[in-house]
Amino acid sequence: MGQPVTVVRTLSRRPGIVRFEVNRCLTGMGHIRYSAGEEILGDDPAAELARQLFKAGGVASIHIYSSMVTVHLSSTNPGDLESVITGLHTHYVPGVRIPDDAELVALAGS
């Protein structure tokens, strides 16, 4: 479940920089920057995406503005960043059990 994010990857003229344009607004009109090794606070989509991109590996820093994600790479062999972005809102992947109606009602009541 969850709707996959559509991603268009473009290269920058500067080596080591990759841009991803997505079909979601991640930050509103704000610019957000993240650097490797810094604590990422918040549970908004931009913060969650940054955590996942750093976890994938090969990322030095990230800049997110609205639907544009700019990644500064720290290696020439980064993780599969495009798949990380595509799966941002996908909650039930193969192997994850989907709760039934009774479980959802119980969760809503608590």
Side-chain angles (χ1 to χ4, degrees):
M1 288 301 224
Q3 186 178 17
V5 177
T6 302
V7 179
V8 176
R9 179 183 178 140
T10 58
L11 296 174
S12 170
R13 287 190 247 168
R14 293 176 31 202
I17 297 177
V18 181
R19 290 191 181 93
F20 300 95
E21 187 170 355
V22 301
N23 65 335
R24 301 275 192 301
C25 180
L26 300 171
T27 66
M29 295 301 291
H31 292 263
I32 303 176
R33 290 177 174 79
Y34 302 97
S35 295
E38 291 181 359
E39 183 180 10
I40 299 173
L41 303 174
D43 60 353
D44 56 286
E48 181 59 30
L49 178 58
R51 280 190 286 274
Q52 290 182 26
L53 288 172
F54 284 123
K55 185 178 175 183
V59 176
S61 65
I62 301 166
H63 173 256
I64 303 175
Y65 172 67
S66 189
S67 62
M68 185 64 68
V69 180
T70 304
V71 177
H72 293 252
L73 302 174
S74 62
S75 74
T76 57
N77 191 20
D80 187 2
L81 305 180
E82 199 165 332
S83 291
V84 169
I85 298 169
T86 301
L88 179 63
H89 294 296
T90 305
H91 306 291
Y92 301 115
V93 294
V96 174
R97 191 180 70 76
I98 299 173
D100 62 25
D101 290 341
E103 291 171 315
L104 292 174
V105 169
L107 285 172
S110 56

